[in-house]
């Protein structure tokens, strides 16, 4: 596990020189979600980023607005005599059951409608249905796709093994599925997000390439990506984790909109995670993440977690493209509001938005009422 953690962290580490280039002159028409003047910020210097920002209208999100505090009202993953949840990571729902993977573990758990752990699935190994280090679990309505260290295994919705294909990408959030595609980090050296077919033999779809590799002479960690597809496959959101932008595409892979974060958090954001001379122990300076996590929870709402543990909920239905909530999530019985739930994954299931966190004992549920 330690080696996987080091490898994952090493993907984010890079020498970055702080650059501030002022107001971007290439913006097309954009829609601001909140009133008030916003100074547009740039700290990257790349013609590739320029072309992406100029390719579609912007939804500008003012990060200075006050967040709502949501307190959990229910929880999943309650212990039984023989089963104890460890470090919750990815979560999916099939029917009435919820399945929770362990971060970098080799098992995941089934949770019944009563909230209690009902069974443990998987185990250590490299055979069918075995895992070395779980890096993601996704469900596309017909099959379950589970990302391991060097492969993706495909199962029926009853967890019957179907097939597998190789994938050596170690980044935990560079993995998502739709009814037709499995989105992964490319093997191609010039592109970062590519797609495979969800049907055997799961070949690469050569024409589907999202996010070009950034060619900055003093950086490399900015090429770490975040991606998510909506359940119906009509929207794909991708991002460089170290930049304050989310690029949204349709099912024809046309760039529709860029979600652009602005405000004090962006102006104060320093992408340098360590001193230029390197960190103790011989590790070089690294890249801070701006986009920590994002997820389509249904075919309408996209959630993204940014610095300050703020969770932004966007309505992308039709052509709305608007921010509907900025949320700080709290556990149950935290009346003094001293603790935040640091989200690892989101799941909209029945009337609740469930949130997993490797730092929490349970998966917490929040009444999800945005109408």
């Amino acid at each position: 596990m330690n080696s996987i953690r080091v490898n994952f962290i090493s993907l984010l580490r890079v020498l970055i020189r702080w650059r501030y280039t002022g107001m971007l002159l290439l913006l097309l028409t954009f829609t601001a979600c909140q009133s008030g003047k916003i100074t547009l910020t740039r700290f990257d210097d790349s013609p590739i980023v320029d072309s992406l920002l100029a390719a579609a209208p912007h939804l500008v999100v003012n990060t200075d607005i006050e967040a709502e505090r949501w307190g959990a009202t229910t929880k999943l993953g309650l212990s039984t005599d023989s089963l104890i949840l460890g470090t919750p990571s990815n979560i999916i729902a099939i029917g009435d059951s919820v399945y929770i993977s362990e971060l970098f573990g080799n098992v995941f758990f089934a949770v019944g409608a009563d909230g209690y752990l009902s069974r443990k699935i998987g185990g250590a190994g490299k055979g069918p249905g075995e895992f070395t280090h779980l890096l993601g679990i996704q469900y596309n309505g017909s099959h379950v796709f589970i990302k391991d260290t060097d492969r993706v295994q495909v199962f029926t919705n009853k967890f019957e093994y179907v097939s597998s294909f190789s994938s050596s990408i170690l980044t935990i959030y560079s993995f998502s599925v739709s009814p037709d595609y499995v989105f992964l980090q490319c093997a191609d050296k010039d592109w970062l997000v590519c797609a495979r077919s969800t049907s055997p033999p799961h070949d690469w779809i050569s024409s589907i390439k999202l996010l070009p590799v950034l060619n900055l002479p003093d950086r490399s960690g900015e090429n770490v990506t975040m991606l998510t597809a909506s359940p119906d496959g009509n929207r794909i959101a991708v991002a460089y984790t170290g930049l304050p932008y989310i690029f949204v595409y349709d099912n024809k892979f046309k760039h529709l909109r860029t979600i652009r974060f602005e405000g004090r958090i962006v102006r104060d954001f320093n992408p340098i995670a360590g001193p230029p001379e390197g960190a103790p122990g011989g590790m070089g300076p690294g890249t801070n993440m701006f986009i920590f996590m994002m997820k389509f929870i249904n075919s309408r709402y996209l959630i993204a977690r940014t610095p300050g543990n703020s969770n932004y909920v966007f309505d992308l239905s039709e052509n709305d493209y608007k921010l509907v909530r900025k949320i700080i999530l709290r556990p149950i019985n935290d009346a003094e509001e001293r603790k935040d739930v640091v989200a690892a994954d989101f799941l909209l299931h029945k009337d609740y938005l469930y949130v997993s966190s490797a730092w929490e004992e349970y998966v917490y549920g929040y009444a999800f009422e945005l109408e």
Side-chain angles (χ1 to χ4, degrees):
M1 179 182 296
N2 288 337
S3 64
I4 295 295
R5 290 181 187 274
V6 170
N7 285 335
F8 175 66
I9 293 171
S10 68
L11 288 172
L12 304 177
R13 306 201 57 87
V14 61
L15 176 61
I16 289 179
R17 182 179 302 164
W18 175 261
R19 294 182 178 180
Y20 177 83
T21 62
M23 183 175 292
L24 177 66
L25 299 179
L26 298 176
L27 281 178
L28 300 181
T29 304
F30 62 82
T31 303
C33 287
Q34 297 81 33
S35 61
K37 184 177 179 180
I38 300 175
T39 301
L40 302 182
T41 308
R42 282 289 299 279
F43 48 75
D44 48 81
D45 185 8
S46 165
I48 292 175
V49 175
D50 290 344
S51 65
L52 286 168
L53 293 178
H58 292 200
L59 169 68
V60 179
V61 177
N62 184 357
T63 61
D64 294 335
I65 63 172
E66 190 70 23
E68 298 178 9
R69 264 66 180 177
W70 282 16
T73 56
T74 188
K75 55 189 175 184
L76 298 177
L78 302 173
S79 302
T80 58
D81 291 342
S82 58
L83 296 176
I84 298 175
L85 191 63
T87 52
S89 184
N90 292 106
I91 43 179
I92 63 171
I94 303 175
D96 288 333
S97 296
V98 172
Y99 298 87
I100 306 169
S101 69
E102 278 202 335
L103 180 64
F104 301 118
N106 49 47
V107 298
F108 57 98
F109 295 89
V111 178
D114 59 0
Y116 281 86
L117 300 173
S118 60
R119 63 179 174 134
K120 183 166 60 174
I121 304 170
K126 296 189 176 182
E130 298 176 336
F131 311 98
T132 53
H133 295 90
L134 286 171
L135 296 174
I137 178 170
Q138 301 275 331
Y139 179 55
N140 75 340
S142 60
H143 288 84
V144 178
F145 297 78
I146 301 179
K147 178 73 182 75
D148 203 352
T149 308
D150 56 2
R151 61 179 173 167
V152 174
Q153 295 189 66
V154 187
F155 301 85
T156 69
N157 57 11
K158 295 182 180 179
F159 292 96
E160 301 160 329
Y161 177 80
V162 175
S163 60
S164 66
F165 56 89
S166 62
S167 174
S168 60
I169 306 305
L170 295 177
T171 48
I172 192 167
Y173 294 118
S174 296
F175 171 53
S176 188
V177 301
S178 71
D180 298 314
Y181 302 110
V182 181
F183 295 95
L184 291 159
Q185 191 165 333
C186 301
D188 189 309
K189 65 179 180 179
D190 296 321
W191 292 86
L192 294 174
V193 177
C194 294
R196 287 181 178 266
S197 170
T198 54
S199 302
H202 308 293
D203 290 333
W204 285 110
I205 313 299
S206 60
S207 61
I208 301 176
K209 296 178 178 179
L210 306 172
L211 285 194
V213 170
L214 294 180
N215 185 23
L216 298 176
D218 57 350
R219 296 162 64 167
S220 61
E222 78 284 349
N223 289 324
V224 177
T225 59
M226 193 77 62
L227 66 99
T228 179
S230 62
D232 59 10
N234 287 335
R235 294 289 185 271
I236 304 115
V238 294
Y240 302 98
T241 60
L243 300 180
Y245 322 117
I246 297 173
F247 306 106
V248 182
Y249 296 80
D250 66 9
N251 58 358
K252 303 297 183 182
F253 312 106
K254 177 184 177 182
H255 186 176
L256 298 177
R257 198 68 56 101
T258 294
I259 298 173
R260 180 190 186 103
F261 296 90
E262 292 292 349
R264 179 182 54 79
I265 289 177
V266 180
R267 294 192 299 271
D268 293 346
F269 178 66
N270 186 344
I272 300 174
E277 63 274 13
M283 296 181 68
T287 303
N288 281 319
M289 298 173 68
F290 190 89
I291 307 293
F292 287 91
M293 195 273 160
M294 65 180 184
K295 177 76 172 286
F296 274 105
I297 58 171
N298 58 15
S299 295
R300 179 177 180 179
Y301 292 117
L302 170 71
I303 297 182
R305 181 165 68 87
T306 69
N309 204 29
S310 296
N311 302 281
Y312 295 84
V313 183
F314 303 99
D315 184 348
L316 302 189
S317 61
E318 301 300 328
N319 291 312
D320 285 348
Y321 288 93
K322 60 185 178 182
L323 174 66
V324 291
R325 289 292 189 278
K326 178 183 177 182
I327 306 166
I328 300 293
L329 300 166
R330 304 287 185 178
I332 294 175
N333 299 326
D334 184 32
E336 297 182 11
E337 295 189 345
R338 293 180 298 180
K339 185 178 182 181
D340 296 343
V341 174
V342 180
D345 198 8
F346 300 98
L347 173 68
L348 186 59
H349 181 53
K350 298 183 178 179
D351 296 328
Y352 291 95
L353 176 67
Y354 289 102
V355 180
S356 66
S357 173
W359 310 106
E360 301 297 331
E361 184 178 1
Y362 306 106
V363 171
Y364 288 111
Y366 301 82
F368 193 72
E369 299 176 357
L370 295 186
E371 300 299 335

